[in-house]
Amino acid sequence: ETGVTQSPTHLIKTRGQQVTLRCSSQSGHNTVSWYQQALGQGPQFIFQYYREEENGRGNFPPRFSGLQFPNYSSELNVNALELDDSALYLCASSLGTSGRARRTQYFGPGTRLLVL
Amino acid sequence: LAKTTQPISMDSYEGQEVNITCSHNNIATNDYITWYQQFPSQGPRFIIQGYKTKVTNEVASLFIPADRKSSTLSLPRVSLSDTAVYYCLVGDAPGNNDMRFGAGTRLTVKP
C-alpha cells in the first residue's frame, strides 16, 4: 500500500509569483485535505476535497485554490505569493465514507515553501 | 465549536510513563478524540482515537472520563525517539470547523 506522497519537497519562490504543490493520496482514499504549518505552530486547515469537489474551507484567501483529479490526487495553487506564505504545506488523505476511516488522516511529508 | 487546550511542553526521562492531558469542555455528542504525533519536518502521524472510556493500541492508551470534557494520552515507557509534538483533536470529521490542530504539546524525552 502506497502512502501519501508530495512534490516537490522544497521550493523557493519570490514574492508575487505563483506556485503549485502536488499530492498523491494513499491508495483507496478519496478525500484530500491541505494544511499550512508555520514554524512552531500547529497545522492550519486550508481546504478539503472529496471526490473532486471542495468540501470545506478554512480561513484562507481565494488566492489559495485547489483541485482534485479523478485518481484522487490533488494540487494546491497559491497565487501572488506573500512572505507570510513561507511554511510547510501538508497534504492528508482519508477515506471519506463513514466512521473511523473518515476521521483518520494520513499525512504526507510536506512541501517546504520559502518565499523571498 | 469544540476547542482543545493542552500543555505547551513537557519533559520526561527514558523509561517513564508520560501522560498528556487535553481539555475540551465544549465537546459535542458526535465528536471523537484523536491524537497525532509529529516529528520535525514530517507530517503528523495518527496515534490513537476514542469516544469514551479507554482505548489501547500498540503505541498508546487513551483515557476519556464519563463527561468527556478531557482526555489523557498515555505513553508507556517512553524512549528518546518519542520526542515530538503531540496534538489533540476533537471532532467528527477532518476539515470540519471544530476538528482543528492547536499548538500541541512538545514532549522532550531525556536520557
Side-chain angles (χ1 to χ4, degrees):
Chain A
E1 186 177 83
T2 306
V4 178
T5 60
Q6 294 186 242
S7 63
T9 55
H10 296 82
L11 202 53
I12 299 175
K13 291 284 189 179
T14 57
R15 197 169 44 183
Q17 284 189 313
Q18 178 266 341
V19 68
T20 297
L21 309 181
R22 294 177 176 82
C23 170
S24 291
S25 60
Q26 184 157 317
S27 177
H29 286 186
N30 54 15
T31 304
V32 172
S33 302
W34 285 92
Y35 294 82
Q36 180 195 67
Q37 186 173 26
L39 206 59
Q41 298 182 22
Q44 299 298 307
F45 174 72
I46 302 175
F47 46 58
Q48 180 184 86
Y49 279 83
Y50 171 64
R51 292 184 174 179
E52 303 179 58
E53 297 287 332
E54 188 176 293
N55 184 44
R57 188 179 182 92
N59 189 27
F60 280 80
R63 60 189 185 85
F64 286 78
S65 63
L67 203 58
Q68 188 179 31
F69 301 98
N71 67 354
Y72 302 134
S73 66
S74 178
E75 285 183 354
L76 164 65
N77 299 291
V78 187
N79 294 321
L81 283 167
E82 301 176 359
L83 297 180
D84 285 348
D85 294 334
S86 295
L88 180 69
Y89 287 85
L90 295 161
C91 164
S93 74
S94 55
L95 190 54
T97 53
S98 64
R100 174 175 170 162
R102 183 176 64 149
R103 291 187 297 269
T104 305
Q105 297 184 94
Y106 295 84
F107 284 81
T111 293
R112 175 77 61 188
L113 173 65
L114 178 61
V115 182
L116 301 175
Chain B
L1 194 70
K3 182 177 178 180
T4 59
T5 303
Q6 304 174 233
I8 294 174
S9 64
M10 293 180 68
D11 289 343
S12 182
Y13 291 92
E14 281 190 292
Q16 289 188 330
E17 178 185 74
V18 170
N19 296 308
I20 306 175
T21 297
C22 178
S23 297
H24 28 81
N25 291 318
N26 297 324
I27 190 168
T29 304
N30 294 333
D31 288 345
Y32 280 71
I33 301 152
T34 309
W35 286 80
Y36 286 85
Q37 174 194 56
Q38 186 178 26
F39 299 113
S41 297
Q42 293 186 26
R45 182 177 75 102
F46 173 86
I47 300 176
I48 198 166
Q49 184 177 93
Y51 184 81
K52 62 180 179 180
T53 62
K54 177 183 174 182
V55 180
T56 297
N57 62 21
E58 64 279 4
V59 176
S61 294
L62 179 59
F63 298 92
I64 305 167
D67 66 5
R68 304 203 324 124
K69 293 183 182 300
S70 67
S71 59
T72 299
L73 173 72
S74 181
L75 305 172
R77 300 182 60 80
V78 294
S79 63
L80 296 177
S81 63
D82 291 318
T83 294
V85 178
Y86 292 82
Y87 297 97
C88 163
L89 278 71
V90 170
D92 181 48
N96 283 354
N97 285 333
D98 55 350
M99 194 168 187
R100 302 299 168 89
F101 286 85
T105 297
R106 184 172 299 277
L107 172 66
T108 302
V109 180
K110 303 175 182 178

mmCIF file of all heavy atoms in Angstrom, chain A residues 15-47:
data_model
loop_
_atom_site.group_PDB
_atom_site.id
_atom_site.type_symbol
_atom_site.label_atom_id
_atom_site.label_comp_id
_atom_site.label_asym_id
_atom_site.label_seq_id
_atom_site.Cartn_x
_atom_site.Cartn_y
_atom_site.Cartn_z
ATOM 1 N N ARG A 15 8.297 36.835 -3.930
ATOM 2 C CA ARG A 15 7.008 37.472 -3.687
ATOM 3 C C ARG A 15 6.312 37.819 -4.997
ATOM 4 O O ARG A 15 6.946 38.332 -5.916
ATOM 5 C CB ARG A 15 7.249 38.731 -2.866
ATOM 6 C CG ARG A 15 6.027 39.300 -2.190
ATOM 7 C CD ARG A 15 6.406 40.376 -1.205
ATOM 8 N NE ARG A 15 7.406 41.292 -1.729
ATOM 9 C CZ ARG A 15 7.942 42.281 -1.038
ATOM 10 N NH1 ARG A 15 7.589 42.462 0.217
ATOM 11 N NH2 ARG A 15 8.839 43.074 -1.571
ATOM 12 N N GLY A 16 5.019 37.532 -5.080
ATOM 13 C CA GLY A 16 4.246 37.821 -6.278
ATOM 14 C C GLY A 16 4.128 36.655 -7.249
ATOM 15 O O GLY A 16 3.240 36.652 -8.118
ATOM 16 N N GLN A 17 4.986 35.688 -7.103
ATOM 17 C CA GLN A 17 4.929 34.528 -8.004
ATOM 18 C C GLN A 17 3.782 33.599 -7.619
ATOM 19 O O GLN A 17 3.099 33.779 -6.611
ATOM 20 C CB GLN A 17 6.255 33.760 -7.957
ATOM 21 C CG GLN A 17 7.384 34.418 -8.722
ATOM 22 C CD GLN A 17 8.606 33.511 -8.817
ATOM 23 O OE1 GLN A 17 9.040 32.919 -7.826
ATOM 24 N NE2 GLN A 17 9.163 33.409 -10.021
ATOM 25 N N GLN A 18 3.600 32.581 -8.464
ATOM 26 C CA GLN A 18 2.576 31.573 -8.237
ATOM 27 C C GLN A 18 3.253 30.222 -8.027
ATOM 28 O O GLN A 18 4.334 29.981 -8.546
ATOM 29 C CB GLN A 18 1.641 31.523 -9.462
ATOM 30 C CG GLN A 18 0.543 30.485 -9.399
ATOM 31 C CD GLN A 18 0.920 29.171 -10.064
ATOM 32 O OE1 GLN A 18 1.844 29.115 -10.861
ATOM 33 N NE2 GLN A 18 0.212 28.108 -9.718
ATOM 34 N N VAL A 19 2.609 29.340 -7.259
ATOM 35 C CA VAL A 19 3.204 28.045 -7.003
ATOM 36 C C VAL A 19 2.123 26.960 -7.041
ATOM 37 O O VAL A 19 0.955 27.219 -6.701
ATOM 38 C CB VAL A 19 3.925 28.033 -5.629
ATOM 39 C CG1 VAL A 19 2.919 28.129 -4.478
ATOM 40 C CG2 VAL A 19 4.781 26.782 -5.476
ATOM 41 N N THR A 20 2.514 25.777 -7.493
ATOM 42 C CA THR A 20 1.621 24.614 -7.491
ATOM 43 C C THR A 20 2.294 23.481 -6.745
ATOM 44 O O THR A 20 3.417 23.088 -7.077
ATOM 45 C CB THR A 20 1.291 24.156 -8.925
ATOM 46 O OG1 THR A 20 0.592 25.203 -9.597
ATOM 47 C CG2 THR A 20 0.413 22.912 -8.903
ATOM 48 N N LEU A 21 1.611 22.974 -5.751
ATOM 49 C CA LEU A 21 2.110 21.846 -4.974
ATOM 50 C C LEU A 21 1.229 20.637 -5.266
ATOM 51 O O LEU A 21 0.020 20.770 -5.461
ATOM 52 C CB LEU A 21 2.071 22.165 -3.476
ATOM 53 C CG LEU A 21 2.714 23.496 -3.047
ATOM 54 C CD1 LEU A 21 2.625 23.659 -1.540
ATOM 55 C CD2 LEU A 21 4.140 23.586 -3.534
ATOM 56 N N ARG A 22 1.839 19.462 -5.262
ATOM 57 C CA ARG A 22 1.111 18.255 -5.654
ATOM 58 C C ARG A 22 1.088 17.206 -4.562
ATOM 59 O O ARG A 22 2.032 17.113 -3.762
ATOM 60 C CB ARG A 22 1.718 17.690 -6.939
ATOM 61 C CG ARG A 22 1.525 18.619 -8.128
ATOM 62 C CD ARG A 22 2.164 18.123 -9.400
ATOM 63 N NE ARG A 22 1.856 19.004 -10.522
ATOM 64 C CZ ARG A 22 2.507 20.127 -10.794
ATOM 65 N NH1 ARG A 22 3.516 20.502 -10.035
ATOM 66 N NH2 ARG A 22 2.152 20.869 -11.828
ATOM 67 N N CYS A 23 0.021 16.411 -4.589
ATOM 68 C CA CYS A 23 -0.159 15.396 -3.560
ATOM 69 C C CYS A 23 -0.810 14.161 -4.178
ATOM 70 O O CYS A 23 -1.792 14.266 -4.908
ATOM 71 C CB CYS A 23 -1.051 15.949 -2.453
ATOM 72 S SG CYS A 23 -1.620 14.743 -1.242
ATOM 73 N N SER A 24 -0.249 13.013 -3.881
ATOM 74 C CA SER A 24 -0.878 11.744 -4.259
ATOM 75 C C SER A 24 -1.397 11.090 -2.981
ATOM 76 O O SER A 24 -0.627 10.847 -2.052
ATOM 77 C CB SER A 24 0.126 10.832 -4.953
ATOM 78 O OG SER A 24 0.472 11.349 -6.206
ATOM 79 N N SER A 25 -2.671 10.822 -2.954
ATOM 80 C CA SER A 25 -3.271 10.293 -1.738
ATOM 81 C C SER A 25 -2.948 8.815 -1.558
ATOM 82 O O SER A 25 -2.496 8.146 -2.493
ATOM 83 C CB SER A 25 -4.791 10.489 -1.769
ATOM 84 O OG SER A 25 -5.348 9.813 -2.882
ATOM 85 N N GLN A 26 -3.173 8.336 -0.365
ATOM 86 C CA GLN A 26 -2.960 6.914 -0.095
ATOM 87 C C GLN A 26 -3.955 6.113 -0.916
ATOM 88 O O GLN A 26 -5.084 6.542 -1.154
ATOM 89 C CB GLN A 26 -3.161 6.644 1.393
ATOM 90 C CG GLN A 26 -2.865 5.225 1.814
ATOM 91 C CD GLN A 26 -2.519 5.111 3.285
ATOM 92 O OE1 GLN A 26 -1.770 5.919 3.825
ATOM 93 N NE2 GLN A 26 -3.065 4.107 3.940
ATOM 94 N N SER A 27 -3.520 4.937 -1.333
ATOM 95 C CA SER A 27 -4.330 4.090 -2.190
ATOM 96 C C SER A 27 -5.732 3.881 -1.608
ATOM 97 O O SER A 27 -5.892 3.513 -0.437
ATOM 98 C CB SER A 27 -3.637 2.730 -2.359
ATOM 99 O OG SER A 27 -4.437 1.869 -3.131
ATOM 100 N N GLY A 28 -6.750 4.168 -2.424
ATOM 101 C CA GLY A 28 -8.128 3.948 -1.999
ATOM 102 C C GLY A 28 -8.770 5.119 -1.279
ATOM 103 O O GLY A 28 -9.978 5.119 -1.045
ATOM 104 N N HIS A 29 -7.983 6.140 -0.940
ATOM 105 C CA HIS A 29 -8.534 7.292 -0.221
ATOM 106 C C HIS A 29 -9.105 8.315 -1.198
ATOM 107 O O HIS A 29 -8.425 8.727 -2.147
ATOM 108 C CB HIS A 29 -7.458 7.956 0.632
ATOM 109 C CG HIS A 29 -7.111 7.172 1.849
ATOM 110 N ND1 HIS A 29 -6.260 7.651 2.822
ATOM 111 C CD2 HIS A 29 -7.509 5.950 2.268
ATOM 112 C CE1 HIS A 29 -6.140 6.752 3.789
ATOM 113 N NE2 HIS A 29 -6.888 5.707 3.472
ATOM 114 N N ASN A 30 -10.335 8.754 -0.950
ATOM 115 C CA ASN A 30 -10.997 9.670 -1.866
ATOM 116 C C ASN A 30 -11.111 11.085 -1.329
ATOM 117 O O ASN A 30 -11.732 11.943 -1.950
ATOM 118 C CB ASN A 30 -12.395 9.138 -2.221
ATOM 119 C CG ASN A 30 -13.235 8.849 -0.989
ATOM 120 O OD1 ASN A 30 -12.902 9.280 0.111
ATOM 121 N ND2 ASN A 30 -14.320 8.127 -1.188
ATOM 122 N N THR A 31 -10.529 11.343 -0.178
ATOM 123 C CA THR A 31 -10.610 12.673 0.437
ATOM 124 C C THR A 31 -9.200 13.200 0.697
ATOM 125 O O THR A 31 -8.368 12.481 1.241
ATOM 126 C CB THR A 31 -11.379 12.617 1.763
ATOM 127 O OG1 THR A 31 -12.677 12.061 1.525
ATOM 128 C CG2 THR A 31 -11.525 14.003 2.361
ATOM 129 N N VAL A 32 -8.968 14.432 0.279
ATOM 130 C CA VAL A 32 -7.662 15.051 0.493
ATOM 131 C C VAL A 32 -7.848 16.400 1.172
ATOM 132 O O VAL A 32 -8.687 17.198 0.756
ATOM 133 C CB VAL A 32 -6.914 15.260 -0.846
ATOM 134 C CG1 VAL A 32 -5.651 16.075 -0.619
ATOM 135 C CG2 VAL A 32 -6.565 13.920 -1.482
ATOM 136 N N SER A 33 -7.061 16.625 2.211
ATOM 137 C CA SER A 33 -7.070 17.906 2.917
ATOM 138 C C SER A 33 -5.695 18.539 2.830
ATOM 139 O O SER A 33 -4.687 17.830 2.830
ATOM 140 C CB SER A 33 -7.438 17.711 4.395
ATOM 141 O OG SER A 33 -8.698 17.079 4.533
ATOM 142 N N TRP A 34 -5.672 19.851 2.761
ATOM 143 C CA TRP A 34 -4.410 20.595 2.726
ATOM 144 C C TRP A 34 -4.290 21.465 3.965
ATOM 145 O O TRP A 34 -5.281 22.063 4.431
ATOM 146 C CB TRP A 34 -4.353 21.484 1.478
ATOM 147 C CG TRP A 34 -4.090 20.737 0.207
ATOM 148 C CD1 TRP A 34 -5.004 20.223 -0.661
ATOM 149 C CD2 TRP A 34 -2.809 20.449 -0.357
ATOM 150 N NE1 TRP A 34 -4.378 19.618 -1.725
ATOM 151 C CE2 TRP A 34 -3.019 19.751 -1.563
ATOM 152 C CE3 TRP A 34 -1.492 20.708 0.033
ATOM 153 C CZ2 TRP A 34 -1.980 19.315 -2.375
ATOM 154 C CZ3 TRP A 34 -0.451 20.280 -0.780
ATOM 155 C CH2 TRP A 34 -0.700 19.587 -1.973
ATOM 156 N N TYR A 35 -3.062 21.523 4.487
ATOM 157 C CA TYR A 35 -2.780 22.308 5.677
ATOM 158 C C TYR A 35 -1.538 23.164 5.445
ATOM 159 O O TYR A 35 -0.624 22.768 4.721
ATOM 160 C CB TYR A 35 -2.505 21.401 6.878
ATOM 161 C CG TYR A 35 -3.696 20.585 7.344
ATOM 162 C CD1 TYR A 35 -4.033 19.389 6.714
ATOM 163 C CD2 TYR A 35 -4.469 21.013 8.420
ATOM 164 C CE1 TYR A 35 -5.118 18.640 7.144
ATOM 165 C CE2 TYR A 35 -5.544 20.273 8.870
ATOM 166 C CZ TYR A 35 -5.863 19.090 8.228
ATOM 167 O OH TYR A 35 -6.935 18.347 8.664
ATOM 168 N N GLN A 36 -1.501 24.294 6.118
ATOM 169 C CA GLN A 36 -0.314 25.144 6.162
ATOM 170 C C GLN A 36 0.225 25.130 7.578
ATOM 171 O O GLN A 36 -0.520 25.339 8.532
ATOM 172 C CB GLN A 36 -0.680 26.582 5.772
ATOM 173 C CG GLN A 36 0.496 27.548 5.798
ATOM 174 C CD GLN A 36 0.049 28.997 5.774
ATOM 175 O OE1 GLN A 36 -0.561 29.489 6.718
ATOM 176 N NE2 GLN A 36 0.352 29.696 4.700
ATOM 177 N N GLN A 37 1.511 24.866 7.710
ATOM 178 C CA GLN A 37 2.107 24.839 9.045
ATOM 179 C C GLN A 37 3.285 25.789 9.103
ATOM 180 O O GLN A 37 4.346 25.518 8.525
ATOM 181 C CB GLN A 37 2.533 23.434 9.428
ATOM 182 C CG GLN A 37 3.023 23.339 10.876
ATOM 183 C CD GLN A 37 3.284 21.923 11.325
ATOM 184 O OE1 GLN A 37 3.573 21.042 10.528
ATOM 185 N NE2 GLN A 37 3.171 21.674 12.627
ATOM 186 N N ALA A 38 3.107 26.896 9.801
ATOM 187 C CA ALA A 38 4.202 27.838 10.008
ATOM 188 C C ALA A 38 5.113 27.287 11.098
ATOM 189 O O ALA A 38 4.715 26.435 11.900
ATOM 190 C CB ALA A 38 3.641 29.196 10.407
ATOM 191 N N LEU A 39 6.311 27.765 11.123
ATOM 192 C CA LEU A 39 7.310 27.277 12.077
ATOM 193 C C LEU A 39 6.831 27.441 13.511
ATOM 194 O O LEU A 39 6.405 28.527 13.911
ATOM 195 C CB LEU A 39 8.618 28.050 11.854
ATOM 196 C CG LEU A 39 9.908 27.351 12.249
ATOM 197 C CD1 LEU A 39 10.058 26.049 11.489
ATOM 198 C CD2 LEU A 39 11.099 28.254 11.998
ATOM 199 N N GLY A 40 6.844 26.346 14.268
ATOM 200 C CA GLY A 40 6.475 26.405 15.676
ATOM 201 C C GLY A 40 4.989 26.397 15.953
ATOM 202 O O GLY A 40 4.572 26.518 17.117
ATOM 203 N N GLN A 41 4.176 26.239 14.910
ATOM 204 C CA GLN A 41 2.717 26.232 15.092
ATOM 205 C C GLN A 41 2.125 24.919 14.612
ATOM 206 O O GLN A 41 2.787 24.141 13.920
ATOM 207 C CB GLN A 41 2.084 27.396 14.325
ATOM 208 C CG GLN A 41 2.541 28.758 14.806
ATOM 209 C CD GLN A 41 1.861 29.876 14.055
ATOM 210 O OE1 GLN A 41 0.788 29.702 13.478
ATOM 211 N NE2 GLN A 41 2.469 31.048 14.063
ATOM 212 N N GLY A 42 0.881 24.691 14.979
ATOM 213 C CA GLY A 42 0.179 23.512 14.501
ATOM 214 C C GLY A 42 -0.319 23.726 13.080
ATOM 215 O O GLY A 42 -0.412 24.853 12.600
ATOM 216 N N PRO A 43 -0.620 22.643 12.383
ATOM 217 C CA PRO A 43 -1.143 22.771 11.017
ATOM 218 C C PRO A 43 -2.470 23.529 11.002
ATOM 219 O O PRO A 43 -3.328 23.299 11.855
ATOM 220 C CB PRO A 43 -1.345 21.306 10.597
ATOM 221 C CG PRO A 43 -0.423 20.512 11.472
ATOM 222 C CD PRO A 43 -0.426 21.242 12.777
ATOM 223 N N GLN A 44 -2.617 24.423 10.023
ATOM 224 C CA GLN A 44 -3.851 25.182 9.849
ATOM 225 C C GLN A 44 -4.568 24.675 8.596
ATOM 226 O O GLN A 44 -3.984 24.616 7.522
ATOM 227 C CB GLN A 44 -3.537 26.673 9.698
ATOM 228 C CG GLN A 44 -2.828 27.272 10.907
ATOM 229 C CD GLN A 44 -3.649 27.211 12.158
ATOM 230 O OE1 GLN A 44 -4.800 27.647 12.191
ATOM 231 N NE2 GLN A 44 -3.092 26.634 13.218
ATOM 232 N N PHE A 45 -5.829 24.324 8.762
ATOM 233 C CA PHE A 45 -6.615 23.754 7.678
ATOM 234 C C PHE A 45 -6.861 24.781 6.576
ATOM 235 O O PHE A 45 -7.350 25.886 6.845
ATOM 236 C CB PHE A 45 -7.943 23.257 8.253
ATOM 237 C CG PHE A 45 -8.927 22.762 7.241
ATOM 238 C CD1 PHE A 45 -8.719 21.561 6.579
ATOM 239 C CD2 PHE A 45 -10.072 23.484 6.957
ATOM 240 C CE1 PHE A 45 -9.629 21.097 5.654
ATOM 241 C CE2 PHE A 45 -10.995 23.017 6.039
ATOM 242 C CZ PHE A 45 -10.774 21.827 5.384
ATOM 243 N N ILE A 46 -6.527 24.409 5.332
ATOM 244 C CA ILE A 46 -6.757 25.288 4.187
ATOM 245 C C ILE A 46 -8.078 24.925 3.516
ATOM 246 O O ILE A 46 -8.986 25.732 3.432
ATOM 247 C CB ILE A 46 -5.605 25.198 3.161
ATOM 248 C CG1 ILE A 46 -4.271 25.549 3.820
ATOM 249 C CG2 ILE A 46 -5.890 26.133 1.975
ATOM 250 C CD1 ILE A 46 -3.072 25.365 2.908
ATOM 251 N N PHE A 47 -8.167 23.707 3.012
ATOM 252 C CA PHE A 47 -9.418 23.192 2.424
ATOM 253 C C PHE A 47 -9.329 21.688 2.248
ATOM 254 O O PHE A 47 -8.275 21.080 2.449
ATOM 255 C CB PHE A 47 -9.786 23.867 1.094
ATOM 256 C CG PHE A 47 -8.665 24.011 0.107
ATOM 257 C CD1 PHE A 47 -7.945 22.924 -0.365
ATOM 258 C CD2 PHE A 47 -8.331 25.278 -0.372
ATOM 259 C CE1 PHE A 47 -6.925 23.070 -1.268
ATOM 260 C CE2 PHE A 47 -7.312 25.436 -1.282
ATOM 261 C CZ PHE A 47 -6.599 24.336 -1.726
#
